[in-house]
Amino acid sequence: MAKSIKKRILEEIEKHDTIILSRHIRPDGDAVGSTLGLAEIIKETYPQKRVFLDNEGRSAEVAFLGDEGERPTDEDYKNALVIVLDCGDADRIANERYNKGEKLIKIDHHLCEEDYGDLSWVEPERSSVCEMIADFYVTFKDKLKITVHAAECLYVGIVLDSGRFRFRGTTEQTMKLAGMLLGMGIDLEKIYANLMTVDFEFIKFRAYLTSKIKLTENGVAYLHISNNMRKRHGMTQEDASNIITLLSNIKGSLIWLLFIENDDKTVRVRLRSRFVEIEPLASRYHGGGHACASGATVYSEEEAKSLIAEADALLSDFKKSHPGLI
Ligand code: AMP
């Protein structure tokens, strides 16, 4: 089944002279790596085609992968194939013109209730969309060409979305495909230098926030970052969202929540867990995502409190039925 959908996607790529790639808002390494990586594979294989990326918002964390180039005009959309990567819901696509092309394809790995597009290749059990694009390349490697830079983009997306090969979606296949990309001569030392180092100011922000972490009765860790706190330390929204890792390794705290105030005063919630499935909880608060990594939005303090209480009850039940998990 995956093979036939991949074949149909390749046929659409071959049929269209203009291809436009988009991804989700507030992009992460997988969204950026998969769009840049697939764009480069298409350009390298079919140099006569016009390939664009068209997206709002950038990620400082993976800016080292390069920029997204010139954006397409409205005219370019006529007869274009639009491929949206790493975005489960149409309303989170970082491109208002995503449905202005001739054909729309979705390639994604999120749990989804509602599909969009004329063709949809969704594999929620995959570590990342970058893994799916690496698999797409391998499936058609007699036809497709890849560059070292495209391999680097895909590798970075796999590394980041799999939590450096730790999360549930990491499989033998993930390792094989990552190994294939590594074998192309990518520079791991450079990649990890870019991914692991942070500004000294960020370290101070993290130290300040460490004392603000709270735990519920049953061990849900949570932290609120207001605009005030963030701006006082000269931090961006992306810096604030990277604080999620600060909550991730507390023993017994199998669920952790980061609340980040948006400029419009609504609050973005990042939900993460070990063992416990928190996606259904996120979807009750205007969100969704993956079993153990989801996002949501709350619109008032009461709603934030209610989310924390629900997470606490969920963790309490989970611990009762799974003693011994830390
Ligand atoms: P985040 O904490 O924003 O990195 O989100 C974790 C995962 O959930 C990512 O794969 C997001 O694409 C997804 N996600 C975040 N927010 C939402 C939302 N409101 N609806 C559906 N999926 C989301």
Side-chain angles (χ1 to χ4, degrees):
M1 148 61 176
K3 169 89 184 176
S4 76
I5 184 75
K6 283 187 272 183
K7 199 158 173 279
R8 285 166 70 199
I9 292 173
L10 183 64
E11 281 163 9
E12 291 301 332
I13 291 173
E14 289 186 330
K15 238 190 260 170
H16 287 84
D17 294 330
T18 303
I19 295 151
I20 299 170
L21 304 179
S22 289
R23 48 164 169 74
H24 66 74
I25 52 167
R26 291 196 290 246
D28 56 11
D30 192 28
V32 174
S34 59
T35 40
L36 285 173
L38 180 59
E40 208 156 301
I41 290 171
I42 299 172
K43 280 189 221 161
E44 190 69 13
T45 311
Y46 310 100
Q48 74 287 4
K49 290 191 192 292
R50 302 171 72 236
V51 184
F52 297 95
L53 272 76
D54 195 9
N55 296 292
E56 296 299 331
R58 296 290 178 267
S59 159
E61 186 183 23
V62 291
F64 71 94
L65 292 177
D67 65 33
E68 304 203 344
E70 196 186 319
R71 290 173 76 164
T73 61
D74 287 346
E75 190 61 26
D76 292 323
Y77 270 85
K78 289 185 186 150
N79 307 316
L81 170 66
V82 179
I83 307 179
V84 177
L85 297 110
D86 197 30
C87 188
D89 305 319
D91 57 5
R92 298 186 71 243
I93 300 173
N95 172 13
E96 282 182 356
R97 298 186 290 179
Y98 77 92
N99 56 6
K100 298 272 184 249
E102 201 241 335
K103 196 137 212 173
L104 178 64
I105 294 178
K106 170 187 183 182
I107 303 179
D108 187 38
H109 74 135
H110 290 93
L111 296 163
C112 91
E113 276 156 26
E114 237 175 82
D115 241 344
Y116 59 84
D118 304 300
L119 274 182
S120 161
W121 174 27
V122 178
E123 293 196 38
E125 64 285 356
R126 292 276 196 173
S127 70
S128 53
V129 173
C130 281
E131 177 186 323
M132 295 170 72
I133 299 303
D135 172 87
F136 183 75
Y137 162 71
V138 169
T139 306
F140 302 112
K141 73 172 183 308
D142 293 342
K143 234 175 200 182
L144 296 176
K145 294 183 187 158
I146 192 168
T147 60
V148 175
H149 179 251
E152 216 158 59
C153 292
L154 298 178
Y155 191 88
V156 165
I158 295 174
V159 164
L160 289 175
D161 245 38
S162 69
R164 293 172 174 75
F165 304 104
R166 282 183 305 121
F167 299 157
R168 220 175 253 190
T170 307
T171 62
E172 181 183 348
Q173 184 67 358
T174 315
M175 295 300 199
K176 280 188 179 153
L177 290 166
M180 179 275 296
L181 297 169
L182 197 53
M184 300 200 55
I186 64 180
D187 186 342
L188 270 196
E189 207 172 344
K190 189 187 85 189
I191 288 175
Y192 281 106
N194 276 292
L195 293 181
M196 308 284 289
T197 54
V198 292
D199 289 334
F200 186 46
E201 290 309 313
F202 182 75
I203 298 206
K204 288 197 267 183
F205 185 49
R206 209 161 51 187
Y208 160 76
L209 290 172
T210 304
S211 63
K212 310 268 178 216
I213 300 171
K214 295 198 173 112
L215 282 188
T216 63
E217 191 184 335
N218 293 292
V220 175
Y222 63 97
L223 176 63
H224 292 273
I225 304 179
S226 67
N227 279 330
N228 229 340
M229 286 155 86
R230 178 173 68 74
K231 288 181 182 162
R232 238 186 303 128
H233 287 84
M235 295 288 124
T236 63
Q237 286 281 356
E238 189 179 351
D239 294 326
S241 79
N242 287 336
I243 289 295
I244 190 74
T245 53
L246 187 61
L247 306 173
S248 67
N249 53 2
I250 305 170
K251 249 186 200 161
S253 178
L254 277 59
I255 299 178
W256 53 105
L257 312 170
L258 178 64
F259 294 82
I260 307 162
E261 188 180 5
N262 293 316
D263 286 332
D264 65 3
K265 300 286 176 201
T266 61
V267 175
R268 172 186 178 198
V269 192
R270 305 194 79 195
L271 301 91
R272 298 291 185 269
S273 61
R274 292 186 284 282
F275 311 113
V276 196
E277 305 213 341
I278 36 87
E279 195 273 341
L281 174 63
S283 61
R284 289 198 291 279
Y285 289 85
H286 326 282
H290 306 286
C292 296
S294 287
T297 305
V298 289
Y299 295 88
S300 65
E301 217 177 303
E302 289 67 44
E303 213 180 359
K305 280 185 184 154
S306 142
L307 197 165
I308 294 166
E310 276 200 51
D312 187 58
L314 175 65
L315 187 50
S316 166
D317 288 347
F318 186 85
K319 282 184 172 176
K320 279 178 202 144
S321 51
H322 299 80
L325 290 180
I326 57 166

